[in-house]
Amino acid sequence: QTFSAPTNTLMSKGLISLPSLSQDKSRRWTSKMQQAELKKFLQINGCTDVNRPQRKPGKETLYPVHLAAHLGDADLLRLVLQAGADATQQSSMGRSAWDVAVQSNVYGSHDEVLLLLAEP
């Protein structure tokens, strides 16, 4: 690839770097893997979308954000939130994902999830 003189100068001084084609492919691959992981998570839990609840007769209605918080999986929760889930969504019993994570937290097992949910 050919870049302008100012860009070449900045690159040679290490002040900027441009992603290589392989980095771009890697990002796309990672994105596809994340989408596949999210889709699998939703399917396994009977959810059609990050903003559609899991319904089990006679049980609390939970949304994917609650389920990810319960698992304590910060990466999965991050995917659910990036896909547009509402971190403040309440379950049928009025519990937020924060409430679910606090209740599931054992000796710091859900600390990273709690940090994610505390972000504005």
Side-chain angles (χ1 to χ4, degrees), residues 19-120:
S20 69
L21 184 58
S22 62
Q23 288 173 324
D24 188 45
K25 282 183 181 179
S26 176
R27 275 193 219 109
R28 281 194 303 243
W29 176 254
T30 301
S31 177
K32 285 182 181 183
M33 295 285 290
Q34 290 171 336
Q35 290 170 1
E37 183 179 348
L38 178 60
K39 184 178 179 180
K40 184 177 178 180
F41 167 73
L42 294 173
Q43 287 174 339
I44 287 171
N45 288 288
C47 301
T48 57
D49 182 79
V50 294
N51 290 307
R52 300 268 190 252
Q54 172 193 61
R55 298 191 193 277
K56 290 189 177 182
K59 298 214 176 207
E60 179 179 19
T61 299
L62 298 172
Y63 288 78
V65 69
H66 297 103
L67 300 169
H70 172 70
L71 291 172
D73 188 331
D75 292 330
L76 181 59
L77 178 61
R78 195 173 289 109
L79 284 177
V80 170
L81 293 172
Q82 287 173 347
D86 179 2
T88 64
Q89 177 68 53
Q90 297 206 345
S91 72
S92 60
M93 295 180 67
R95 295 190 312 152
S96 67
W98 171 270
D99 297 327
V100 171
V102 166
Q103 186 176 12
S104 302
N105 195 18
V106 178
Y107 300 114
S109 61
H110 289 58
D111 286 353
E112 191 174 353
V113 165
L114 291 167
L115 285 171
L116 271 175
L117 292 169
E119 292 177 3

